[in-house]
Amino acid sequence: MNMHKLVKVLAPAGIAATVVTSAHVASGDDGINTVEAAESTSSNYKYQGDTGYGDGNFLLNEALIKTLEEDGDLAFNGHTIEASEDDYETRADKKSEFVEEHDQKFTLRDGTATKVVFPIQDETLSIDDVTEAYGDDFETTESKNGKYETYVYKLGDKKDDDKKNIIAFKVEDGYVTQGTIGYSKSY
């Protein structure tokens, strides 16, 4: 079950997003993905599997957004992600290690992921849907060749922008083609 189907299953079940502050998608012994949701005071989001075959709607998931905003525990395919510029700078003098899990590319420093880059299926997730979910407080950069734009969000209520978690969306022709969680010197 991909995340899109998962969200469709959760919504009719009447589980309020404010109650589901912890979500975990896992594949059981039978190969069927299941979700484990728990009521808690901390924000957690764990993603297992590929991102590029679905429609990218997991990026609109309120549990993911809340985890980024509240600096909760965020993991993709078993890699914990520390997603602020400050998290990156703390480990900047450590040797980078590049790891691929499913269709995601992780940058690890001192054993912790400071960035994950992942594909989104073409023409499935519009930037309008993203700005509706994340708001209008973003910066955009255009690629040198003008082929795409990148929308960069710094999330959370910390006063220092360097401590806010970062999520970026590469956009071509109005649709997200790639996502990045974590700091990068260039998106």
Side-chain angles (χ1 to χ4, degrees):
M1 179 182 293
N2 69 30
M3 199 61 179
H4 181 63
K5 289 180 185 169
L6 167 69
V7 172
K8 285 185 175 178
V9 169
L10 284 179
I15 300 173
T18 54
V19 174
V20 181
T21 57
S22 177
H24 178 97
V25 182
S27 179
D29 293 338
D30 54 6
I32 297 172
N33 285 337
T34 57
V35 66
E36 300 166 19
E39 191 172 344
S40 69
T41 55
S42 64
S43 301
N44 300 296
Y45 186 87
K46 293 185 167 92
Y47 188 93
Q48 288 290 128
D50 292 309
T51 62
Y53 300 109
D55 58 15
N57 274 336
F58 75 93
L59 291 166
L60 308 178
N61 184 293
E62 288 185 37
L64 171 63
I65 296 169
K66 184 176 181 182
T67 298
L68 286 165
E69 288 175 341
E70 296 180 357
D71 201 20
D73 295 328
L74 175 65
F76 274 56
N77 290 309
H79 293 283
T80 299
I81 303 162
E82 297 293 339
S84 74
E85 183 176 351
D86 190 54
D87 291 325
Y88 167 83
E89 292 295 340
T90 300
R91 298 167 180 84
D93 60 340
K94 305 292 183 194
K95 186 176 181 221
S96 292
E97 182 183 351
F98 303 100
V99 177
E100 288 190 35
E101 298 284 346
H102 292 272
D103 60 357
Q104 294 118 61
K105 295 177 181 168
F106 295 86
T107 302
L108 304 179
R109 291 178 179 272
D110 203 26
T112 299
T114 56
K115 181 173 74 173
V116 59
V117 179
F118 46 88
I120 299 299
Q121 189 175 9
D122 288 345
E123 297 186 9
T124 56
L125 179 63
S126 76
I127 191 58
D128 293 341
D129 289 341
V130 169
T131 57
E132 189 175 315
Y134 286 83
D136 296 328
D137 189 12
F138 56 84
E139 295 176 12
T140 57
T141 59
E142 192 169 321
S143 66
K144 289 179 183 163
N145 63 7
K147 186 177 177 192
Y148 64 89
E149 286 183 302
T150 304
Y151 288 61
V152 180
Y153 285 88
K154 294 182 178 181
L155 301 177
D157 58 5
K158 296 185 169 78
K159 288 186 166 84
D160 185 352
D161 268 3
D162 292 352
K163 295 189 184 311
K164 293 181 179 182
N165 287 318
I166 298 170
I167 187 166
F169 303 92
K170 180 178 172 182
V171 178
E172 296 180 47
D173 300 323
Y175 289 93
V176 176
T177 58
Q178 178 177 286
T180 302
I181 295 176
Y183 174 75
S184 178
K185 289 184 180 176
S186 64
Y187 294 94

